[in-house]
Amino acid sequence: MEEKKYVPKKESVTYAVAALGQGLVYSCMSSYITDFYMNVLTLNAWFVIMLMLLARVWDAINDPLMGMIVDRHTSRWGRMRHYPVITAIPIAVLTILMFTRPIGFAAGDQSTLMYIYVAVVYTLWGMVYTSSDVPFWSLPNVMTPNPAERGTIISYGRTVGGIGSAVTVALPIIVGYFISSSEKKYAIMAISMSVIGMPLFCLASFNIKERVKHPNATKRAPGEPSTLSRIFHCKPLMLVVLSGILSFGRYMIQSAAAHVARYGGFYVGGDLSTATAEQFSKNMSSIQLVIQICAAVGMFGAMVFMPKLFKKYEYRTLMIVSCLAGFAASVVTLIVGWFTKNLFFCIPFMIISSIPLGVINVVSGAMVCDCIDFMEWKTGYRDNALGSACQSFVNKLGNAVATVVIIGMYILVNIDPQKLNVGDANAALEIARSMTASQNFAMYALVSIVPGISLILCAIPLFFYDIVGDKKKKITEDLKVMRAQRGIEITE
């Protein structure tokens, strides 16, 4: 017999639209912050690496802290749904500040004040974003007690949110056909996506209902395991977290596209040695557009089918199969693209290698929710937001690792970002002409074999994940009885 459903279609659509708004803004950072810092502001590469890593160390504290705050406090609006409207304006302002040169700082400014400004804005953005992201993606846990319905809500939210990411990715590329200045392109992107995205995100605060009313988390009694101890002793959750960290390469196909377009050695319809600066600028936009379209088609194609696939296959199976297929396609992408020097021949393989982007985005969130069920089943405690905070941390850590790998590749093949000035199309063209074959190959590897290796690593922990089949069904049935005994309220 099919389990009862609690969430009306209108509410599911609202959640997905709110995710769209969040996706419009989040993709600004995840896809372009490396290129902006290195090739527009021309910041020191080691500074960017350390900023990303130290910010993630802070997230290791900040994300669980936010999770504990959400789990321990209930406002008159509920426990989670008021955060989007509170954080929307700060996120919009900080996103714009992050992608615009501060007033009074000239191009190429390497002063201490510039570095302080960048570090403060980037760190604040991450903190405020966490304050909205953790409760927002925890909402499905309290919208319905039905795991299947919860998985569908997450699937639709991630899919529509991914559309927002695609819009953000496409905008600078399209603008690039008309404006050669990378600085202006990024400013247009940040302003437009913030103004459109954050009002949509606010919808989550007004049109969503929290039905599963767990009691607020309390301070632990003497001898009782701490909240963090419960998290770290939850083997399935730790496997999902490890898998998510190892899947950092899924972010690289999009975030490295701008770097490959500029220095990967691909030129459409002519000879780079005779190209004008205008032709080169349009070529960068064309190459980047090809890569991003492939990523979008593979990612969204997978996301669209997730709700149906959820009914037939285990989450673990979907993850492992997609990762193996993505790795195989990445190998072919590397070989075909490099030896033919024609990126168009790689399109079908790049699409296949991008399928895990959609699968991981959707399935990992559903798996985290199952892990939270498992923790409640084992311990009697439910840490909704703290469990989801683990995924928020993993996503941001994955982006940071992807950024570090991109910058590390620059350093490995002796490309000095400090000598690049891509705001000047003529200078960018001369630099592209001076690239060696090994440097071109290294850049191309960022969207081919490097993400592929990451996918293989991602699949390994999942072979040990066991919340599947009869065990998952037993957890769901037992939780119904446990919640009834504890007097946990579930409203219509």
PDB file of all heavy atoms in Angstrom, residues 34 47 62 64 67 73 77 128 130 155 196 243 248 253 258 271 286 293 300 320 339 348 357 423 457-458 460:
ATOM      1  N   THR A  34      36.860  31.586  -8.830  1.00  0.00           N
ATOM      2  CA  THR A  34      38.285  31.360  -9.096  1.00  0.00           C
ATOM      3  C   THR A  34      38.771  32.235 -10.242  1.00  0.00           C
ATOM      4  O   THR A  34      39.818  32.883 -10.151  1.00  0.00           O
ATOM      5  CB  THR A  34      38.543  29.890  -9.469  1.00  0.00           C
ATOM      6  OG1 THR A  34      37.906  29.052  -8.518  1.00  0.00           O
ATOM      7  CG2 THR A  34      40.025  29.599  -9.499  1.00  0.00           C
ATOM      8  N   PHE A  47      47.392  33.022  -2.105  1.00  0.00           N
ATOM      9  CA  PHE A  47      46.393  33.671  -1.252  1.00  0.00           C
ATOM     10  C   PHE A  47      45.017  33.073  -1.500  1.00  0.00           C
ATOM     11  O   PHE A  47      44.267  32.782  -0.557  1.00  0.00           O
ATOM     12  CB  PHE A  47      46.353  35.174  -1.523  1.00  0.00           C
ATOM     13  CG  PHE A  47      45.155  35.859  -0.918  1.00  0.00           C
ATOM     14  CD1 PHE A  47      45.134  36.202   0.425  1.00  0.00           C
ATOM     15  CD2 PHE A  47      44.038  36.148  -1.699  1.00  0.00           C
ATOM     16  CE1 PHE A  47      44.021  36.809   0.985  1.00  0.00           C
ATOM     17  CE2 PHE A  47      42.920  36.765  -1.145  1.00  0.00           C
ATOM     18  CZ  PHE A  47      42.913  37.099   0.202  1.00  0.00           C
ATOM     19  N   ASN A  62      31.341  26.421  11.536  1.00  0.00           N
ATOM     20  CA  ASN A  62      30.162  27.244  11.292  1.00  0.00           C
ATOM     21  C   ASN A  62      28.943  26.430  10.877  1.00  0.00           C
ATOM     22  O   ASN A  62      27.830  26.665  11.362  1.00  0.00           O
ATOM     23  CB  ASN A  62      30.503  28.271  10.197  1.00  0.00           C
ATOM     24  CG  ASN A  62      29.447  29.332  10.048  1.00  0.00           C
ATOM     25  OD1 ASN A  62      28.840  29.750  11.018  1.00  0.00           O
ATOM     26  ND2 ASN A  62      29.222  29.749   8.821  1.00  0.00           N
ATOM     27  N   PRO A  64      28.077  23.047  11.359  1.00  0.00           N
ATOM     28  CA  PRO A  64      27.442  22.316  12.470  1.00  0.00           C
ATOM     29  C   PRO A  64      26.845  23.248  13.527  1.00  0.00           C
ATOM     30  O   PRO A  64      25.811  22.940  14.109  1.00  0.00           O
ATOM     31  CB  PRO A  64      28.596  21.497  13.058  1.00  0.00           C
ATOM     32  CG  PRO A  64      29.586  21.377  11.952  1.00  0.00           C
ATOM     33  CD  PRO A  64      29.482  22.665  11.203  1.00  0.00           C
ATOM     34  N   GLY A  67      23.593  24.274  12.310  1.00  0.00           N
ATOM     35  CA  GLY A  67      22.677  23.152  12.447  1.00  0.00           C
ATOM     36  C   GLY A  67      22.151  23.019  13.860  1.00  0.00           C
ATOM     37  O   GLY A  67      20.953  22.783  14.083  1.00  0.00           O
ATOM     38  N   HIS A  73      16.072  25.824  18.384  1.00  0.00           N
ATOM     39  CA  HIS A  73      15.227  27.007  18.536  1.00  0.00           C
ATOM     40  C   HIS A  73      14.060  26.978  17.549  1.00  0.00           C
ATOM     41  O   HIS A  73      14.251  26.722  16.365  1.00  0.00           O
ATOM     42  CB  HIS A  73      16.039  28.289  18.330  1.00  0.00           C
ATOM     43  CG  HIS A  73      17.141  28.469  19.319  1.00  0.00           C
ATOM     44  ND1 HIS A  73      18.411  27.955  19.121  1.00  0.00           N
ATOM     45  CD2 HIS A  73      17.167  29.072  20.536  1.00  0.00           C
ATOM     46  CE1 HIS A  73      19.175  28.253  20.167  1.00  0.00           C
ATOM     47  NE2 HIS A  73      18.446  28.913  21.038  1.00  0.00           N
ATOM     48  N   TRP A  77       7.340  31.355  13.517  1.00  0.00           N
ATOM     49  CA  TRP A  77       7.144  30.913  12.136  1.00  0.00           C
ATOM     50  C   TRP A  77       7.462  29.425  11.971  1.00  0.00           C
ATOM     51  O   TRP A  77       7.167  28.840  10.949  1.00  0.00           O
ATOM     52  CB  TRP A  77       8.046  31.724  11.203  1.00  0.00           C
ATOM     53  CG  TRP A  77       7.506  33.075  10.871  1.00  0.00           C
ATOM     54  CD1 TRP A  77       6.530  33.752  11.530  1.00  0.00           C
ATOM     55  CD2 TRP A  77       7.926  33.904   9.794  1.00  0.00           C
ATOM     56  NE1 TRP A  77       6.313  34.969  10.935  1.00  0.00           N
ATOM     57  CE2 TRP A  77       7.155  35.089   9.873  1.00  0.00           C
ATOM     58  CE3 TRP A  77       8.879  33.780   8.789  1.00  0.00           C
ATOM     59  CZ2 TRP A  77       7.311  36.132   8.958  1.00  0.00           C
ATOM     60  CZ3 TRP A  77       9.025  34.822   7.888  1.00  0.00           C
ATOM     61  CH2 TRP A  77       8.249  35.985   7.972  1.00  0.00           C
ATOM     62  N   VAL A 128      26.864  33.862   5.926  1.00  0.00           N
ATOM     63  CA  VAL A 128      25.453  34.217   5.745  1.00  0.00           C
ATOM     64  C   VAL A 128      24.758  33.174   4.875  1.00  0.00           C
ATOM     65  O   VAL A 128      23.611  32.801   5.132  1.00  0.00           O
ATOM     66  CB  VAL A 128      25.323  35.622   5.122  1.00  0.00           C
ATOM     67  CG1 VAL A 128      23.857  35.965   4.884  1.00  0.00           C
ATOM     68  CG2 VAL A 128      25.949  36.668   6.034  1.00  0.00           C
ATOM     69  N   THR A 130      25.469  30.025   4.690  1.00  0.00           N
ATOM     70  CA  THR A 130      25.225  28.872   5.556  1.00  0.00           C
ATOM     71  C   THR A 130      23.973  29.064   6.395  1.00  0.00           C
ATOM     72  O   THR A 130      23.193  28.123   6.608  1.00  0.00           O
ATOM     73  CB  THR A 130      26.429  28.638   6.484  1.00  0.00           C
ATOM     74  OG1 THR A 130      27.543  28.211   5.698  1.00  0.00           O
ATOM     75  CG2 THR A 130      26.138  27.587   7.536  1.00  0.00           C
ATOM     76  N   SER A 155      14.358  16.079  -4.934  1.00  0.00           N
ATOM     77  CA  SER A 155      14.700  15.907  -6.346  1.00  0.00           C
ATOM     78  C   SER A 155      14.235  17.097  -7.167  1.00  0.00           C
ATOM     79  O   SER A 155      14.998  17.665  -7.966  1.00  0.00           O
ATOM     80  CB  SER A 155      14.071  14.616  -6.884  1.00  0.00           C
ATOM     81  OG  SER A 155      14.344  14.459  -8.259  1.00  0.00           O
ATOM     82  N   ILE A 196      17.197  39.059  -9.028  1.00  0.00           N
ATOM     83  CA  ILE A 196      16.152  38.113  -9.419  1.00  0.00           C
ATOM     84  C   ILE A 196      16.058  36.947  -8.429  1.00  0.00           C
ATOM     85  O   ILE A 196      14.966  36.529  -8.029  1.00  0.00           O
ATOM     86  CB  ILE A 196      16.420  37.560 -10.835  1.00  0.00           C
ATOM     87  CG1 ILE A 196      16.363  38.691 -11.862  1.00  0.00           C
ATOM     88  CG2 ILE A 196      15.413  36.472 -11.184  1.00  0.00           C
ATOM     89  CD1 ILE A 196      16.837  38.271 -13.240  1.00  0.00           C
ATOM     90  N   SER A 243      32.064  10.386   0.509  1.00  0.00           N
ATOM     91  CA  SER A 243      31.786  10.301  -0.923  1.00  0.00           C
ATOM     92  C   SER A 243      31.609  11.687  -1.521  1.00  0.00           C
ATOM     93  O   SER A 243      32.109  11.984  -2.609  1.00  0.00           O
ATOM     94  CB  SER A 243      30.525   9.458  -1.154  1.00  0.00           C
ATOM     95  OG  SER A 243      30.176   9.432  -2.518  1.00  0.00           O
ATOM     96  N   PHE A 248      34.543  16.108  -5.532  1.00  0.00           N
ATOM     97  CA  PHE A 248      34.838  17.516  -5.817  1.00  0.00           C
ATOM     98  C   PHE A 248      34.923  17.803  -7.315  1.00  0.00           C
ATOM     99  O   PHE A 248      34.634  18.909  -7.782  1.00  0.00           O
ATOM    100  CB  PHE A 248      36.159  17.926  -5.155  1.00  0.00           C
ATOM    101  CG  PHE A 248      37.372  17.263  -5.739  1.00  0.00           C
ATOM    102  CD1 PHE A 248      38.040  17.815  -6.820  1.00  0.00           C
ATOM    103  CD2 PHE A 248      37.849  16.067  -5.211  1.00  0.00           C
ATOM    104  CE1 PHE A 248      39.161  17.198  -7.366  1.00  0.00           C
ATOM    105  CE2 PHE A 248      38.953  15.428  -5.751  1.00  0.00           C
ATOM    106  CZ  PHE A 248      39.614  15.991  -6.838  1.00  0.00           C
ATOM    107  N   ILE A 253      33.812  20.776 -14.023  1.00  0.00           N
ATOM    108  CA  ILE A 253      33.406  20.899 -15.418  1.00  0.00           C
ATOM    109  C   ILE A 253      32.861  22.299 -15.674  1.00  0.00           C
ATOM    110  O   ILE A 253      33.144  22.913 -16.709  1.00  0.00           O
ATOM    111  CB  ILE A 253      32.353  19.831 -15.767  1.00  0.00           C
ATOM    112  CG1 ILE A 253      32.981  18.438 -15.643  1.00  0.00           C
ATOM    113  CG2 ILE A 253      31.816  20.034 -17.180  1.00  0.00           C
ATOM    114  CD1 ILE A 253      32.022  17.299 -15.874  1.00  0.00           C
ATOM    115  N   ALA A 258      35.836  28.305 -17.951  1.00  0.00           N
ATOM    116  CA  ALA A 258      36.428  29.579 -18.367  1.00  0.00           C
ATOM    117  C   ALA A 258      37.933  29.451 -18.553  1.00  0.00           C
ATOM    118  O   ALA A 258      38.511  30.049 -19.473  1.00  0.00           O
ATOM    119  CB  ALA A 258      36.118  30.655 -17.323  1.00  0.00           C
ATOM    120  N   ASP A 271      42.722  30.153 -37.216  1.00  0.00           N
ATOM    121  CA  ASP A 271      44.053  29.937 -36.654  1.00  0.00           C
ATOM    122  C   ASP A 271      44.301  30.961 -35.561  1.00  0.00           C
ATOM    123  O   ASP A 271      44.142  32.172 -35.776  1.00  0.00           O
ATOM    124  CB  ASP A 271      45.096  30.079 -37.771  1.00  0.00           C
ATOM    125  CG  ASP A 271      46.493  29.713 -37.303  1.00  0.00           C
ATOM    126  OD1 ASP A 271      46.677  29.552 -36.077  1.00  0.00           O
ATOM    127  OD2 ASP A 271      47.388  29.593 -38.153  1.00  0.00           O
ATOM    128  N   SER A 286      32.543  30.920 -27.129  1.00  0.00           N
ATOM    129  CA  SER A 286      32.017  29.749 -27.837  1.00  0.00           C
ATOM    130  C   SER A 286      32.461  28.451 -27.172  1.00  0.00           C
ATOM    131  O   SER A 286      31.650  27.533 -26.950  1.00  0.00           O
ATOM    132  CB  SER A 286      32.477  29.764 -29.301  1.00  0.00           C
ATOM    133  OG  SER A 286      31.965  30.878 -29.986  1.00  0.00           O
ATOM    134  N   ILE A 293      27.043  23.933 -21.930  1.00  0.00           N
ATOM    135  CA  ILE A 293      25.828  23.290 -22.440  1.00  0.00           C
ATOM    136  C   ILE A 293      25.892  21.784 -22.216  1.00  0.00           C
ATOM    137  O   ILE A 293      24.910  21.155 -21.802  1.00  0.00           O
ATOM    138  CB  ILE A 293      25.631  23.605 -23.935  1.00  0.00           C
ATOM    139  CG1 ILE A 293      25.190  25.062 -24.112  1.00  0.00           C
ATOM    140  CG2 ILE A 293      24.603  22.665 -24.562  1.00  0.00           C
ATOM    141  CD1 ILE A 293      25.036  25.490 -25.555  1.00  0.00           C
ATOM    142  N   PHE A 300      20.944  18.163 -16.058  1.00  0.00           N
ATOM    143  CA  PHE A 300      19.488  18.277 -15.985  1.00  0.00           C
ATOM    144  C   PHE A 300      18.792  17.045 -16.534  1.00  0.00           C
ATOM    145  O   PHE A 300      17.718  16.670 -16.061  1.00  0.00           O
ATOM    146  CB  PHE A 300      19.014  19.528 -16.722  1.00  0.00           C
ATOM    147  CG  PHE A 300      19.533  20.784 -16.121  1.00  0.00           C
ATOM    148  CD1 PHE A 300      20.123  21.756 -16.900  1.00  0.00           C
ATOM    149  CD2 PHE A 300      19.459  20.992 -14.759  1.00  0.00           C
ATOM    150  CE1 PHE A 300      20.628  22.908 -16.340  1.00  0.00           C
ATOM    151  CE2 PHE A 300      19.957  22.141 -14.185  1.00  0.00           C
ATOM    152  CZ  PHE A 300      20.542  23.108 -14.979  1.00  0.00           C
ATOM    153  N   ILE A 320      26.516   4.901  -7.780  1.00  0.00           N
ATOM    154  CA  ILE A 320      27.672   4.121  -8.232  1.00  0.00           C
ATOM    155  C   ILE A 320      27.684   3.985  -9.747  1.00  0.00           C
ATOM    156  O   ILE A 320      28.714   4.204 -10.402  1.00  0.00           O
ATOM    157  CB  ILE A 320      27.678   2.738  -7.561  1.00  0.00           C
ATOM    158  CG1 ILE A 320      27.954   2.880  -6.055  1.00  0.00           C
ATOM    159  CG2 ILE A 320      28.723   1.828  -8.203  1.00  0.00           C
ATOM    160  CD1 ILE A 320      27.821   1.578  -5.281  1.00  0.00           C
ATOM    161  N   PHE A 339      43.406  14.578 -29.171  1.00  0.00           N
ATOM    162  CA  PHE A 339      44.034  14.133 -30.414  1.00  0.00           C
ATOM    163  C   PHE A 339      43.355  14.692 -31.663  1.00  0.00           C
ATOM    164  O   PHE A 339      43.982  14.781 -32.716  1.00  0.00           O
ATOM    165  CB  PHE A 339      44.072  12.603 -30.475  1.00  0.00           C
ATOM    166  CG  PHE A 339      45.112  12.005 -29.567  1.00  0.00           C
ATOM    167  CD1 PHE A 339      44.755  11.425 -28.358  1.00  0.00           C
ATOM    168  CD2 PHE A 339      46.455  12.059 -29.900  1.00  0.00           C
ATOM    169  CE1 PHE A 339      45.721  10.905 -27.506  1.00  0.00           C
ATOM    170  CE2 PHE A 339      47.430  11.534 -29.053  1.00  0.00           C
ATOM    171  CZ  PHE A 339      47.055  10.957 -27.845  1.00  0.00           C
ATOM    172  N   PRO A 348      29.049  14.389 -27.113  1.00  0.00           N
ATOM    173  CA  PRO A 348      28.277  13.302 -26.478  1.00  0.00           C
ATOM    174  C   PRO A 348      28.950  12.728 -25.237  1.00  0.00           C
ATOM    175  O   PRO A 348      28.271  12.354 -24.258  1.00  0.00           O
ATOM    176  CB  PRO A 348      28.164  12.248 -27.593  1.00  0.00           C
ATOM    177  CG  PRO A 348      29.241  12.574 -28.560  1.00  0.00           C
ATOM    178  CD  PRO A 348      29.408  14.053 -28.497  1.00  0.00           C
ATOM    179  N   LEU A 357      26.807  14.823 -12.224  1.00  0.00           N
ATOM    180  CA  LEU A 357      26.562  16.109 -11.572  1.00  0.00           C
ATOM    181  C   LEU A 357      25.131  16.161 -11.065  1.00  0.00           C
ATOM    182  O   LEU A 357      24.874  16.543  -9.913  1.00  0.00           O
ATOM    183  CB  LEU A 357      26.797  17.268 -12.552  1.00  0.00           C
ATOM    184  CG  LEU A 357      28.218  17.785 -12.736  1.00  0.00           C
ATOM    185  CD1 LEU A 357      29.084  16.754 -13.465  1.00  0.00           C
ATOM    186  CD2 LEU A 357      28.208  19.084 -13.537  1.00  0.00           C
ATOM    187  N   GLY A 423      41.224  41.236 -18.562  1.00  0.00           N
ATOM    188  CA  GLY A 423      40.372  42.369 -18.858  1.00  0.00           C
ATOM    189  C   GLY A 423      40.786  43.017 -20.161  1.00  0.00           C
ATOM    190  O   GLY A 423      40.004  43.700 -20.805  1.00  0.00           O
ATOM    191  N   LEU A 457      36.659   7.901  -7.259  1.00  0.00           N
ATOM    192  CA  LEU A 457      36.892   7.983  -5.816  1.00  0.00           C
ATOM    193  C   LEU A 457      35.577   8.133  -5.062  1.00  0.00           C
ATOM    194  O   LEU A 457      35.388   7.541  -3.988  1.00  0.00           O
ATOM    195  CB  LEU A 457      37.821   9.158  -5.509  1.00  0.00           C
ATOM    196  CG  LEU A 457      39.244   9.067  -6.076  1.00  0.00           C
ATOM    197  CD1 LEU A 457      40.009  10.362  -5.798  1.00  0.00           C
ATOM    198  CD2 LEU A 457      39.990   7.879  -5.480  1.00  0.00           C
ATOM    199  N   CYS A 458      34.665   8.907  -5.630  1.00  0.00           N
ATOM    200  CA  CYS A 458      33.362   9.136  -5.008  1.00  0.00           C
ATOM    201  C   CYS A 458      32.591   7.832  -4.829  1.00  0.00           C
ATOM    202  O   CYS A 458      31.898   7.632  -3.821  1.00  0.00           O
ATOM    203  CB  CYS A 458      32.564  10.115  -5.861  1.00  0.00           C
ATOM    204  SG  CYS A 458      30.803  10.218  -5.473  1.00  0.00           S
ATOM    205  N   ILE A 460      33.663   4.743  -4.354  1.00  0.00           N
ATOM    206  CA  ILE A 460      34.225   3.717  -3.465  1.00  0.00           C
ATOM    207  C   ILE A 460      33.519   3.626  -2.107  1.00  0.00           C
ATOM    208  O   ILE A 460      33.113   2.532  -1.690  1.00  0.00           O
ATOM    209  CB  ILE A 460      35.743   3.938  -3.282  1.00  0.00           C
ATOM    210  CG1 ILE A 460      36.465   3.716  -4.622  1.00  0.00           C
ATOM    211  CG2 ILE A 460      36.297   3.001  -2.206  1.00  0.00           C
ATOM    212  CD1 ILE A 460      37.941   4.072  -4.591  1.00  0.00           C
TER     213      ILE A 460
END
